[in-house]
Amino acid sequence: MKPILLLALTLLCLGHATGQPRPQETPYVPTADNLSARTEFQDAKFGIFLHWGLYSMVGAGEWVMTNRNIHRDEYAKLAQAFYPAHFDADEWVAAIKAAGARYITITTRHHDGFSLFNSAVSPYNVVEATPFQRDIIGELAKACAHHGIRLHLYYSHLDWYRTDYPLGRTGLGTGRTAHQANWESYYHFMNTQLTELLTHYGPIGAIWFDGWWDHDADPQPFNWQLPAQYALIHSLQPRCLVANNHHQTPFEGEDVQIFERDLPGENTAGLSGQDISRLPLESCQTINDHWGYNLTDSNYKSTRELIGMLVRAAGKNANLLLNIGPEPGGRLPAAALTRLKEMGEWLAQYGPTLYGTRGGWVAPHAWGVTTQKGNHLYVHLLDAPDASLFLPLGKRKPLRALHYATGREVKFTRHADGITLHLGKVPTEIDCVVDLIF
Ligand code: GLC
């Protein structure tokens, strides 16, 4: 380990032990590098989430270990058979890039505690514990660098395998007991793994935490010591964004606000009652109904629905992080690949109306959303009920209105408080985009 990292880790531990001022006691001021990484993140708009691990072999989602109360010793035997012969990082990244996604977020260690990367502090990892013996995160990092796509890393705060993790409200049937808990040891383990992830695999776009909520029902508030952990991340890679899927308004030290299964401001899944912050926003969604590979889940969203989700996210100033659960053999499911390809074809044409834009000043409506960039306001008609549409633009009047796909002029009439677009017919395309030029 490099001396500077050793020093950073030692300081983290010392700060805790001696009660000296720790990084969390000073308010978080993002660096200029971090702010520019946030802008780049917001410009990217579309990422692919990958949930892959030992659970993929069981084909019942990534919660199977706790859902079926599988003992940690039995679950760990899956590692002895983990051999995804078809895994080809280059193929994955090429397909994801061709879909128009600009970053990949992959589970480096999910709640089951198994590491998909080589780790000196846990032999329960893909290189040491499986016959495959290949560092999946390493191969993916290389392919991402080669294809020019950002790599983000999911990291679980909770752990159903390790005995030093203090028991929360999930994973109670996996063979661990409360008296084995050792927070100091577990916290040190996590920070060492995070250091490995941020020093062995090149530039990392974000660390995406999950599992904070495992202790949200504790009688006393649980101290995850997040600010010091976040400071460690920022000190190792200032451009690395910190995101946490805690379903709360962001905590000090975070750079992105996450929404799970809903767009900001919506709450159909019951996880998103929190306020919307001023941080860059990201909404994660499943392509079918599960995160990890599920043998019986063929309920894939259609390409039209997925494009609608991406566009509606952009209209709400958020990125879409669309999840795929790779198969146990190492392939991306065919149904996902078809959709990726179709999304890519669509984005090849419509990308400029999304990438680099921000949510438009006309609020989202049932008919669709708006995005803006420079002197353009892109009106995305996803579900327009009529051939004419009133847009509440206030006093701002466009110079021209163009049908984005054909470049043809769209007629409009001006009113005191907006304009009415005359489309000629009710649009039937996935997204009828009208480019308003000011
Ligand atoms: C939830 C689940 C987890 C999944 C995540 C993705 O927090 O616990 O399994 O990885 O959502 O958003």
Side-chain angles (χ1 to χ4, degrees), residues 2 8-9 39-40 81 92 100 131-132 135 139 165 176 185 193 195 204 218 240 254 276 286 325 350 396:
K2 292 189 193 141
L9 278 176
T39 304
E40 187 193 288
W92 281 17
F132 197 53
D135 185 331
E139 292 186 23
Y165 172 70
R176 298 161 308 138
S185 147
Q193 280 213 321
T195 304
I204 299 302
D218 287 11
C240 180
E254 296 175 1
I276 302 172
T286 51
Y350 289 91
R396 303 176 69 172

Side-chain angles (χ1 to χ4, degrees), residues 31-239:
T31 59
D33 264 351
N34 184 277
L35 292 174
S36 95
R38 290 183 188 187
T39 304
E40 187 193 288
F41 172 77
Q42 284 190 295
D43 289 347
K45 286 290 170 288
F46 182 28
I48 292 292
F49 209 171
L50 297 172
H51 274 70
W52 205 37
L54 297 182
Y55 46 79
S56 310
M57 298 167 74
V58 189
E62 77 291 350
W63 271 60
V64 67
M65 184 180 184
T66 187
N67 286 348
R68 294 198 196 152
N69 289 323
I70 303 172
H71 193 281
R72 57 193 290 280
D73 297 339
E74 291 304 318
Y75 187 89
K77 290 179 187 166
L78 288 170
Q80 297 167 17
F82 188 73
Y83 197 93
H86 299 294
F87 172 64
D88 182 335
D90 223 58
E91 259 177 40
W92 281 17
V93 177
I96 289 169
K97 182 144 194 228
R102 300 250 162 121
Y103 61 98
I104 294 175
T105 308
I106 183 160
T107 49
T108 59
R109 175 177 146 278
H110 204 268
H111 309 334
D112 67 356
F114 179 76
S115 301
L116 224 52
F117 60 102
N118 195 9
S119 173
V121 284
S122 166
Y124 193 41
N125 76 63
V126 66
V127 177
E128 285 179 76
T130 78
F132 197 53
Q133 295 181 2
R134 281 162 52 188
D135 185 331
I136 283 163
I137 300 303
E139 292 186 23
L140 206 60
K142 228 165 130 192
C144 283
H146 176 71
H147 289 273
I149 187 163
R150 284 240 169 270
L151 182 63
H152 295 193
L153 303 178
Y154 171 109
Y155 192 80
S156 175
H157 267 131
L158 75 87
D159 194 305
W160 297 326
Y161 177 78
R162 287 182 68 96
T163 49
D164 56 359
Y165 172 70
L167 291 184
R169 63 173 164 83
T170 68
L172 300 178
T174 64
R176 298 161 308 138
T177 56
H179 77 265
Q180 295 167 298
N182 181 344
W183 168 251
E184 295 286 319
S185 147
Y186 183 70
Y187 186 62
H188 184 261
F189 155 77
M190 284 195 295
N191 289 334
T192 311
Q193 280 213 321
L194 288 165
T195 304
E196 291 177 331
L197 290 170
L198 289 159
T199 52
H200 297 172
Y201 302 105
I204 299 302
I207 297 288
W208 206 101
F209 286 112
D210 190 23
W212 174 93
W213 35 259
D214 198 35
H215 279 283
D216 62 6
D218 287 11
Q220 299 298 323
F222 186 84
N223 184 5
W224 286 97
Q225 295 182 249
L226 295 180
Q229 191 166 65
Y230 294 171
L232 171 70
I233 294 168
H234 288 135
S235 74
L236 293 170
Q237 289 202 26
R239 292 185 65 84

